[in-house]
Amino acid sequence: MKNKDLIYRSMRIAFIILLIIGLSPWHLYSQDKNDTDFGLFKDESTLDIKLAFDIGTFMKDRPEEEYLDAELTIYLSETDSIFEEIKVSARGNYRRRTCDFPPVMLNFKGAKTGYPDMDDLGKVKLVSHCMPGEDYETYVMREYLDYKFYNIITDYSFRVRLIHISYYDIKNRSLYADNKIAFMLEPVDLLEERFGEDEIEDIEITDKAVKNDIVLKLSTFEFLIANSDWSIPMAHNLKIFGDEDSLEDLIVVPYDFDYSGWVDTHYAYAREDLGLKDIRDRAFLGPCRSETEWREVLDYYLEMENKIIDMIKDFEYLSGYERNDLVRYVRSFYRLYRNDKIINIFMKACNQ
């Protein structure tokens, strides 16, 4: 009995010490599900992460259907972290075949961090370097800014979280790649919750089925970033949400911008069928709408000009040269607007 009392007193003392030094008992036990969210796609700060898995098998077999065991550590501070056992797989049809380091899918199923928004995540896309080298990290950061740009334009957009990630080989506990820049893409399940609509898959639609405000903002955005790698009828690089029975007032959300002039990857190619000679040339792929409707959305973009440029200037993870390049690229769009050339370009869709 005395031994049990001694153990109990020792546990109480340890518990009190943790509270005194400012550490939560969460280090010993998972948080209650009623506690606050982690804020994975709400917080703007950059996360530091370590991801350990069988990199040899991942690089050789590039498994898409089968998941590999992985260990994820999220560093909250110098003295605090979250450790979780998850699963990983390779993803992406084209990049899984061509990248030296294939894109990663994180599977949080069964996670018990104690944070509801993390434990309910499911699968999360990780956008990281495709090949070694500074250029590929620059591509990742420029694409991340594409998502942040569209967040400014509309809430009907994917949220993203920037991370610094170190990859370890779980077999021999060796470092594979240190402090790489990457970002996580908000899962579709979370978009469904935010929009109050289900995702619609494997269906053909027209632009008239999409909410007008959304299709106008989307088309202008894709034109500004010089992305011709998207299509509403084919649902290419778009996620669709809404009522599958009525197919009215649908929501479309764009993703995958590495073939845009904004990201400016060396492997992207200009679409000659659209008369483009350079990946940074712009082509309009939007619908036919009245001049009044287009002027309204362009005026809205004009109101966002300073926010977009400030976002670029304040992004410390890109070099000054890269930031200046993006600012000039954005301003080239607004010069077209101020010279009243964009209306003519957009209205050509009605004459085709």
Side-chain angles (χ1 to χ4, degrees):
M1 189 68 179
K2 288 182 178 180
N3 288 339
K4 288 185 177 179
D5 289 341
L6 181 61
I7 293 172
Y8 179 69
R9 285 197 297 269
S10 298
M11 290 177 65
R12 288 187 64 189
I13 292 171
F15 189 92
I16 293 170
I17 290 173
L18 284 171
L19 293 177
I20 291 174
I21 64 176
L23 295 179
S24 167
W26 168 82
H27 289 268
L28 301 178
Y29 307 99
S30 293
Q31 287 179 308
D32 186 85
K33 291 298 180 183
N34 293 324
D35 285 354
T36 58
D37 287 344
F38 181 77
L40 186 59
F41 294 104
K42 297 177 182 177
D43 198 307
E44 294 289 320
S45 62
T46 305
L47 280 178
D48 290 321
I49 287 177
K50 181 176 82 171
L51 183 63
F53 57 99
D54 187 348
I55 290 182
T57 298
F58 182 80
M59 300 281 286
K60 179 183 177 182
D61 298 339
R62 300 165 185 254
E64 184 178 23
E65 301 299 330
E66 296 183 8
Y67 281 88
L68 304 175
D69 293 331
E71 297 174 352
L72 177 70
T73 306
I74 301 176
Y75 296 98
L76 306 178
S77 68
E78 292 183 359
T79 58
D80 198 1
S81 63
I82 296 173
F83 175 84
E84 191 62 44
E85 293 180 347
I86 63 170
K87 304 281 188 180
V88 299
S89 68
R91 65 173 185 84
N93 293 327
Y94 174 75
R95 282 187 258 190
R96 189 165 54 86
R97 297 192 308 268
T98 59
C99 288
D100 179 63
F101 189 80
V104 179
M105 180 72 80
L106 307 176
N107 191 337
F108 282 81
K109 186 177 181 180
K112 297 179 180 178
T113 66
Y115 291 102
D117 64 330
M118 290 189 67
D119 294 344
D120 296 336
L121 272 178
K123 298 177 183 179
V124 179
K125 290 181 179 181
L126 178 66
V127 182
S128 185
H129 66 290
C130 173
M131 298 282 186
E134 186 177 338
D135 285 349
Y136 284 91
E137 291 210 354
T138 298
Y139 299 156
V140 171
M141 290 182 283
R142 289 176 74 124
E143 186 171 11
Y144 167 81
L145 281 184
D146 258 330
Y147 286 98
K148 299 302 292 182
F149 170 10
Y150 202 54
N151 290 160
I152 292 174
I153 298 302
T154 176
D155 289 334
Y156 294 120
S157 55
F158 278 102
R159 295 182 297 190
V160 286
R161 184 69 180 272
L162 195 67
I163 60 177
H164 282 126
I165 184 167
S166 296
Y167 298 95
Y168 283 79
D169 193 319
I170 204 169
K171 280 195 168 182
N172 54 28
R173 298 290 172 179
S174 63
L175 178 66
Y176 171 76
D178 188 30
N179 201 33
K180 307 296 288 185
I181 199 77
F183 62 88
M184 292 181 181
L185 189 67
E186 183 180 21
V188 168
D189 289 351
L190 294 187
L191 270 70
E192 289 179 323
E193 290 180 15
R194 286 202 288 122
F195 303 160
E197 300 283 0
D198 293 329
E199 181 188 8
I200 301 174
E201 298 183 270
D202 302 323
I203 194 167
E204 293 185 4
I205 62 171
T206 68
D207 60 84
K208 292 181 180 179
V210 183
K211 289 184 179 181
N212 200 47
D213 180 64
I214 290 177
V215 74
L216 294 174
K217 288 177 179 176
L218 167 67
S219 302
T220 305
F221 167 76
E222 300 281 24
F223 177 80
L224 191 157
I225 67 172
N227 185 29
S228 55
D229 189 28
W230 69 285
S231 168
I232 288 179
M234 298 176 63
H236 179 56
N237 285 337
L238 298 171
K239 292 294 183 180
I240 305 172
F241 303 84
D243 187 339
E244 189 169 0
D245 293 328
S246 69
L247 291 182
E248 295 179 351
D249 291 329
L250 301 180
I251 298 167
V252 292
V253 182
Y255 66 95
D256 246 357
F257 307 118
D258 63 319
Y259 271 69
S260 68
W262 176 292
V263 180
D264 196 21
T265 60
H266 75 270
Y267 56 80
Y269 55 88
R271 286 186 55 178
E272 295 181 356
D273 60 312
L274 297 176
L276 303 179
K277 297 181 179 180
D278 188 274
I279 190 62
R280 288 167 70 94
D281 293 340
R282 295 181 169 104
F284 179 69
L285 302 180
C288 170
R289 293 293 189 271
S290 70
E291 181 173 332
T292 299
E293 289 173 298
W294 281 122
R295 288 196 182 279
E296 285 179 359
V297 76
L298 288 170
D299 286 344
Y300 174 78
Y301 266 79
L302 185 61
E303 294 174 5
M304 299 296 109
E305 180 179 10
N306 290 335
K307 287 185 179 180
I308 297 167
I309 290 176
D310 287 344
M311 174 201 70
I312 297 168
K313 289 181 176 180
D314 294 340
F315 189 63
E316 60 186 35
Y317 297 101
L318 277 178
S319 68
Y321 171 82
E322 295 290 343
R323 281 179 282 175
N324 288 337
D325 179 66
L326 284 177
V327 169
R328 287 193 296 268
Y329 200 58
V330 170
R331 285 178 171 158
S332 69
F333 166 85
Y334 283 102
R335 279 197 301 272
L336 287 174
Y337 169 81
R338 292 186 175 92
N339 293 335
D340 216 25
K341 294 181 179 179
I342 286 183
I343 287 294
N344 294 332
I345 295 173
F346 285 11
M347 291 304 293
K348 283 183 180 179
C350 296
N351 301 322
Q352 294 175 351

